[in-house]
Amino acid sequence: MELTRKQEEGLKIVIERFLNHDKYTVISGYAGSGKSTLVRFMIDALSAHGVHEETDVCFCAYTGKAAQVLIDKGNKNAMTAHRLMYKAIPRPDGSFIFTPKTELEYRVIIVDECSMLPRKMMERLLAYPNIYVVFCGDPGQLPPINKDDDNHLLDHPHIFLDEIMRQAADSGIIQLSMKVRHGENIDGFKSNDAIVLPKTELNTGMLEWADIILCATNATRININNEMRRLLGHEGEICDGDKVINLNNSWETFSENGNALTNGAIGYFYNPFESYVRTPSFAKIPFNEIKTYIGHFVTETNDDFGTLAIDKKMIDKGEFSLTSKQKFLLGRNQRYASLIPYQFTFAYAITTHKAQGSSWKNVLVIEEKFPYQPEEHKRWLYTAITRGEEKVVVVR
C-alpha cells in the first residue's frame, strides 16, 4: 500500500516526536485520508525502536461502539478509554467502586475519535509517565455538545491529512462527504453506496432498511421513533426487544466485558416490566416513589449490562421523573444514589450528535436545515454521512 505525500511527512513527524520523548502527537484528517493507515505504518516503524505491538501498543476510544470498531479492524489490545484507565472493584451489594489506575502497562496508546474524549480524561491519560499517546480525529465532525468536555486537540494538530487515499477515492460515501465539506450541491448524487433523494421519496421501506436513522432535531427523532415502533407493532409501553439509547454516563455500571455504561450506548431492552422504587421523604418526590421499567440491557456490540431499572417517564414522555434538586438530594448519599433510575429513550432514530464515535452498515440521514448555521450544518451533514460503513441514503 502506497502512502500519500502527507502521510509520508506525517510518519516522519510521529516517529521523531516519539524519539524526542514528546508526550503526544495529534493526527487530524478527513474521512478517507488514511489516518488508520498512517497509524499502522507508525506501529511497524516503532518496532525498530523496541516497541512490540502485542505487548506495548493499545488502541482505545471513548465509546463502546467505537472501541468495537477498533477490535473489528483487527487492532490488538483495543478497549474503551475508561476500561484502560480505571479498574472496577466490586462491592458486596453487587455495585462497583471505580478507581483510576496508578500506572498503565503500555508504551504507546492510540486514541481514536479523539474529539469524543472529555478534556478531564485526556488530561488524566497524559499524566501517566513514560507513555506516548497518539490522538487521531476528524476535524470535519461536530464538536461535543458540552463545551467543557471539548479537549481542543484538533484545533492545532501536529499532522493534518487532507489528501484522499487512492483506495478510498472510489467510495461514494467519501465522495459525497467531500462534496459536503467543500460546500458543493449534492442534489441528485448517486453511487453504488451513497444516494441523495428528495424527501418526497421517503417511505417506510427506507425506515425499516436502515440500521440507524440520523436526524437533527428531537421533534423529528421522536416522530420517527414513534413511526418505527408502530411498524414493529410496539405501540404504547416499552416492548421486548425495543431499541434504546442511554442518555448519561454511568461510570459505576459495568458490563460483563468490563466496559462502563456510557452516554450514547445503543442496544436492546429485553423482558421489560413496570415497577417502582421507594424514595425517602426528604427528597420530596410525589408519593415517595419513582416509576420504572425493569429489563435486561444488551448493547449493539453485545456488552451485557444485566438487569437495569430505567426511568418510565423518560421512555413514555421524554421527561425526567426527577428534578435536578431531587436528583441531587438522592445522589449526595451513597445509600440512596442507587435509587436514581437510568435514563434511556428509544433509538431507532437518534440525533447525529449522539451518533458521534459510532458507525453502522446502513445509514439513513434525514437532513434538516434548522437549527444550525451554515457552517455547523455542513459539519452536521458531513458527520452523519461518514457514520455509514456500506451504504448511506440522504433525504433532503
Side-chain angles (χ1 to χ4, degrees):
M1 182 180 295
E2 294 182 6
L3 294 180
T4 64
R5 177 182 57 84
K6 286 290 185 72
Q7 286 175 315
E8 289 179 347
E9 294 173 356
L11 182 59
K12 292 178 181 178
I13 292 171
V14 76
I15 299 302
E16 286 175 0
R17 290 181 63 81
F18 172 81
L19 295 176
N20 289 336
H21 302 288
D22 288 304
K23 192 63 184 173
Y24 69 98
T25 296
V26 179
I27 302 174
S28 175
Y30 296 115
S33 62
K35 297 184 295 295
S36 297
T37 301
L38 173 55
V39 167
R40 296 312 311 174
F41 273 81
M42 176 200 76
I43 292 172
D44 289 342
L46 288 177
S47 65
H49 302 284
V51 175
H52 303 287
E53 182 177 0
E54 296 282 347
T55 56
D56 296 333
V57 179
C58 174
F59 287 78
C60 74
Y62 178 61
T63 67
K65 184 67 180 288
Q68 185 62 48
V69 170
L70 291 172
I71 294 170
D72 293 342
K73 289 181 178 179
N75 295 307
K76 298 176 175 62
N77 303 322
M79 64 189 75
T80 61
H82 192 270
R83 185 178 179 186
L84 171 67
M85 291 189 285
Y86 294 86
K87 59 182 177 181
I89 302 173
R91 292 191 178 107
D93 64 1
S95 63
F96 292 86
I97 300 172
F98 73 97
T99 59
K101 295 179 181 178
T102 56
E103 59 182 7
L104 302 182
E105 58 190 291
Y106 304 101
R107 294 177 61 191
V108 178
I109 294 173
I110 297 102
V111 181
D112 196 29
E113 301 276 3
C114 70
S115 63
M116 296 285 294
L117 191 70
R119 178 178 55 81
K120 289 184 178 180
M121 289 190 76
M122 175 202 72
E123 292 171 349
R124 180 173 293 281
L125 179 58
L126 292 176
Y128 288 104
N130 304 317
I131 291 177
Y132 181 52
V133 184
V134 178
F135 294 102
C136 299
D138 187 334
Q141 293 187 24
L142 287 165
I145 295 177
N146 186 347
K147 303 305 180 185
D148 291 336
D149 282 343
D150 195 340
N151 55 46
H152 296 286
L153 284 167
L154 298 178
D155 292 354
H156 303 287
H158 302 100
I159 301 163
F160 178 45
L161 304 177
D162 57 357
E163 299 175 8
I164 301 303
M165 294 187 68
R166 188 177 67 231
Q167 296 90 334
D170 293 335
S171 165
I173 294 174
I174 297 299
Q175 293 172 19
L176 182 57
S177 72
M178 289 173 62
K179 282 182 172 290
V180 169
R181 182 162 55 84
H182 294 149
E184 299 175 16
N185 181 25
I186 63 171
D187 289 338
F189 182 92
K190 186 175 183 180
S191 72
N192 290 334
D193 55 0
I195 187 170
V196 179
L197 300 170
K199 282 189 178 177
T200 53
E201 296 191 27
L202 179 63
N203 55 57
T204 55
M206 291 183 191
L207 299 180
E208 295 175 306
W209 160 83
D211 295 316
I212 198 69
I213 303 164
L214 302 181
C215 56
T217 64
N218 283 321
T220 299
R221 175 183 62 80
I222 292 168
N223 288 337
I224 295 175
N225 278 320
N226 288 340
E227 176 63 12
M228 281 298 300
R229 297 191 71 240
R230 186 190 67 78
L231 292 171
L232 294 170
H234 288 189
E235 294 181 88
E237 295 187 346
I238 193 169
C239 297
D240 184 38
D242 257 324
K243 193 174 185 178
V244 294
I245 182 171
N246 177 43
L247 301 178
N248 299 108
N249 286 320
S250 301
W251 296 123
E252 295 189 24
T253 302
F254 292 86
S255 71
E256 293 179 348
N257 296 328
N259 291 321
L261 183 58
T262 55
N263 183 356
I266 295 175
Y268 301 91
F269 205 65
Y270 297 108
N271 303 316
F273 61 91
E274 188 174 339
S275 185
Y276 64 90
V277 292
R278 285 289 182 189
T279 57
S281 58
F282 67 74
K284 298 182 179 179
I285 296 169
F287 307 108
N288 293 329
E289 69 176 36
I290 307 170
K291 292 183 178 180
T292 63
Y293 288 117
I294 307 293
H296 195 110
F297 178 62
V298 181
T299 70
E300 293 176 309
T301 53
N302 293 317
D303 258 337
D304 190 336
F305 286 92
T307 300
L308 301 179
I310 66 175
D311 192 333
K312 183 178 187 296
K313 190 174 183 181
M314 175 56 69
I315 287 287
D316 294 347
K317 299 181 179 180
E319 302 171 3
F320 292 108
S321 288
L322 302 178
T323 64
S324 297
K325 184 175 181 180
Q326 290 167 340
K327 187 175 180 180
F328 169 77
L329 290 172
L330 291 175
R332 68 179 179 178
N333 187 317
Q334 186 60 46
R335 177 183 176 186
Y336 299 114
S338 61
L339 300 179
I340 301 172
Y342 297 92
Q343 303 296 325
F344 281 76
T345 192
F346 295 114
Y348 300 97
I350 63 174
T351 63
T352 298
H353 269 101
K354 285 290 186 184
Q356 293 248 71
S358 297
S359 62
W360 295 265
K361 288 184 178 180
N362 299 314
V363 174
L364 175 62
V365 180
I366 309 297
E367 185 179 2
E368 300 178 89
K369 302 295 183 182
F370 178 82
Y372 302 117
Q373 296 298 319
E375 181 60 30
E376 189 177 14
H377 175 80
K378 185 167 67 174
R379 295 182 70 173
W380 176 89
L381 185 56
Y382 172 88
T383 302
I385 291 168
T386 53
R387 299 310 88 198
E389 297 172 357
E390 295 184 2
K391 190 152 189 175
V392 172
V393 175
V394 178
V395 294
R396 61 194 325 241

